[in-house]
Amino acid sequence: MPTQRLDYPNFNFIRLIAASSVIFSHAFLIASGDEAGEPLVKLLGKGNILGIYGVFTFFFISGFLVTLSLVNSPSVLNYFWRRFLRIYPALAVCLAISAFVIGPLFSTNGPVNFFTSSEGIRYFLGNLWWPGKPPGMPSVTLYDEPSGWLGGMINGSLWTIFHELACYVLLGLIGLLGALNAWVLVLICMSMVLISVTGLIPNSATIGDFLLVAPAFCAGAAFSLLKLQHKNSGFRLASMVAAILALCVAYRYDAMLQIFPLAGAPVILLIGTSQRLSLPTLRQVGDISYGTYLYGWPAEQLMRAGVGPEASWSLIFLGGLSAAYLAGYLSWWAIERPALRYKMGLWNIPTSLKEVNRGR
């Protein structure tokens, strides 16, 4: 049964902060080759970069909104069509710029030889099929550095897109099976976390990464189905307090990476759905977070290539963030927003952009 589709303007700002946090963390990696100097790593330990918590935040919100999309879609087929429109038009343009603009400019073989080879099209098509799988193009090196891989990494942020798509498919299959229930999603979420905590993850980086981020998506989906945003204020406050206490325990036992995908969901989503707390809505700017995320890594890589090895993390961050915001703005208004006009199908173009502005 369809549920009421409310507008949650706080999410635009939260998602933009999440995208910015990813760019912030990547600045340390690109500047020095590792993230040891990142402030949150110093506080919480290895692996606890601010950007991964930004990714969790994206997945919380995505799970929440995408579940609403599935519940309100006229069919599961339409649900998948909407997911395609939300991800692929902007992704395809970003990949095309990477493959056919950045690629030839930085190819050690020169632009002519680059275009006569197939590496650009292989990178483009490969990342459309499996975002993040082809890390770069063989002849393309943006700058020289000791690791031998970082300077040739065109877009290190794409790996999460694949897992986002996998979560869409998982949710759609659950819907097809008639098992779209909050407690089913809670069980799946907790099972994934348990597998990670107990070290039962198969020897596969792909599965390990999926089990890292998918619980956050499932937690957001469960929150949506439980309709916690509609509960009375006392219940919401109690949920927030319980979640914060769980995070404090996780901090005490160095388990933030494992527990935040569960306990972080009520905190982020209660803020995002609050009708009393008004964050900047960014309505005039648009929902630029996805485009900002897509272009953040390439923008920082180009900053590092242009400035040279003396580029500081702060310069890479500020320059990359500014460029990513601009690219995100252009992506939303020129690609993402127009594409979402077709979310009911090519045969049913909406006459109003009211729904498009909601970004889902």
Side-chain angles (χ1 to χ4, degrees):
M1 179 181 296
T3 60
Q4 186 180 8
R5 176 66 166 92
L6 298 175
D7 194 12
Y8 299 109
N10 286 346
F11 281 146
N12 280 356
F13 183 74
I14 295 173
R15 284 187 290 204
L16 187 59
I17 294 300
S20 303
S21 74
V22 173
I23 296 172
F24 174 79
S25 293
H26 286 163
F28 289 87
L29 175 62
I30 291 170
S32 61
D34 61 54
E35 294 151 329
E38 210 255 45
L40 202 63
V41 173
K42 291 182 176 180
L43 177 65
L44 299 179
K46 184 178 180 182
N48 286 279
I49 63 171
L50 182 63
I52 196 63
Y53 292 95
V55 169
F56 289 147
T57 298
F58 267 120
F59 275 74
F60 291 146
I61 297 173
S62 180
F64 177 86
L65 293 176
V66 168
T67 301
L68 290 180
S69 176
L70 176 57
V71 170
N72 289 287
S73 293
S75 68
V76 175
L77 181 61
N78 179 260
Y79 158 78
F80 282 120
W81 172 244
R82 292 182 185 213
R83 298 305 97 225
F84 174 85
L85 289 178
R86 191 64 188 97
I87 295 296
Y88 272 97
L91 175 63
V93 172
C94 180
L95 291 175
I97 292 172
S98 299
F100 306 119
V101 178
I102 297 176
L105 287 175
F106 288 90
S107 174
T108 55
N109 296 332
V112 175
N113 288 329
F114 177 87
F115 280 115
T116 57
S117 73
S118 61
E119 60 180 313
I121 194 66
R122 287 202 310 269
Y123 176 83
F124 176 77
L125 294 178
N127 276 291
L128 282 179
W129 171 250
W130 189 323
K133 186 67 171 179
M137 291 166 274
S139 73
V140 176
T141 301
L142 285 83
Y143 52 86
D144 294 323
E145 42 78 36
S147 75
W149 64 269
L150 184 59
M153 179 70 74
I154 306 298
N155 197 334
S157 297
L158 295 180
W159 68 275
T160 65
I161 306 299
F162 172 80
H163 296 297
E164 175 96 354
L165 293 170
C167 287
Y168 293 167
V169 173
L170 174 63
L171 190 68
L173 291 176
I174 292 173
L176 280 173
L177 293 172
L180 192 62
N181 178 280
W183 301 112
V184 170
L185 287 160
V186 168
L187 179 61
I188 292 172
C189 181
M190 295 186 69
S191 298
M192 290 178 178
V193 172
L194 185 61
I195 291 171
S196 297
V197 170
T198 56
L200 297 177
I201 299 174
N203 187 24
S204 166
T206 300
I207 295 176
D209 288 341
F210 179 74
L211 291 177
L212 176 66
V213 298
F217 183 92
C218 292
F223 184 106
S224 181
L225 292 172
L226 287 170
K227 301 179 182 179
L228 293 183
Q229 70 274 22
H230 298 313
K231 303 296 183 184
N232 63 63
S233 58
F235 186 90
R236 294 198 305 271
L237 178 60
S239 299
M240 177 80 78
V241 171
I244 292 173
L245 289 175
L247 292 174
C248 290
V249 173
Y251 172 73
R252 171 65 178 80
Y253 291 98
D254 298 324
M256 284 291 287
L257 277 176
Q258 292 78 24
I259 301 304
F260 190 84
L262 281 172
V267 177
I268 299 299
L269 295 175
L270 285 172
I271 293 173
T273 58
S274 173
Q275 300 300 309
R276 294 184 177 181
L277 176 63
S278 295
L279 300 176
T281 63
L282 306 181
R283 291 193 185 278
Q284 299 303 314
V285 177
D287 184 7
I288 69 171
S289 58
Y290 178 47
T292 296
Y293 180 83
L294 282 177
Y295 290 96
W297 179 285
E300 290 188 306
Q301 287 285 70
L302 291 174
M303 280 292 299
R304 167 65 175 81
V307 176
E310 65 275 11
S312 65
W313 73 265
S314 57
L315 179 61
I316 291 173
F317 170 60
L318 293 175
L321 185 69
S322 300
Y325 279 172
L326 176 59
Y329 180 86
L330 295 174
S331 178
W332 170 249
W333 291 102
I335 302 161
E336 299 166 54
R337 186 172 184 263
L340 289 172
R341 296 189 64 189
Y342 299 92
K343 65 182 182 179
M344 293 307 296
L346 294 172
W347 54 89
N348 188 13
I349 302 174
T351 57
S352 170
L353 290 177
K354 182 179 179 181
E355 291 295 318
V356 172
N357 286 331
R358 292 173 178 170
R360 289 287 164 182

